[in-house]
């Protein structure tokens, strides 16, 4: 898939666990895991906004386009 999710990188930079982020933004750890693995088909802007706020980052820190 040409969209790469770098959520695990940002979590490591912020020294935050997935469980803590999931609780902070109000989603399940299972849904966050799907997003982290790149298996998600879509992400709501409200979820992206909440992640960016919690991790103090920009959407381009989390999502990257890589040509096949």
């Amino acid at each position: 898939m040409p969209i790469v999710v770098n959520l695990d990188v940002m979590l490591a930079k912020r020294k935050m666990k997935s469980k803590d982020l999931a609780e902070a933004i109000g989603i399940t750890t299972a849904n966050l895991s799907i997003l982290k693995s790149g298996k998600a088909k879509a992400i709501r802007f409200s979820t992206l906004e909440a992640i960016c706020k919690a991790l103090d980052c920009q959407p381009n820190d989390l999502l990257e386009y890589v040509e096949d």
Side-chain angles (χ1 to χ4, degrees), residues 39-68:
K39 294 181 181 179
K41 299 289 183 191
I43 182 170
R44 293 176 187 237
F45 281 133
S46 59
T47 302
L48 183 59
E49 179 183 355
I51 292 171
C52 288
K53 185 174 182 180
L55 294 177
D56 188 29
C57 66
Q58 294 294 315
N60 67 319
D61 295 323
L62 302 171
L63 303 173
E64 178 182 0
Y65 174 75
V66 179
E67 205 166 329
D68 284 339

Side-chain angles (χ1 to χ4, degrees), residues 26-43:
I27 66 172
T28 65
T29 54
N31 283 338
L32 188 62
S33 178
I34 290 168
L35 184 58
K36 274 179 51 178
S37 69
K39 294 181 181 179
K41 299 289 183 191
I43 182 170

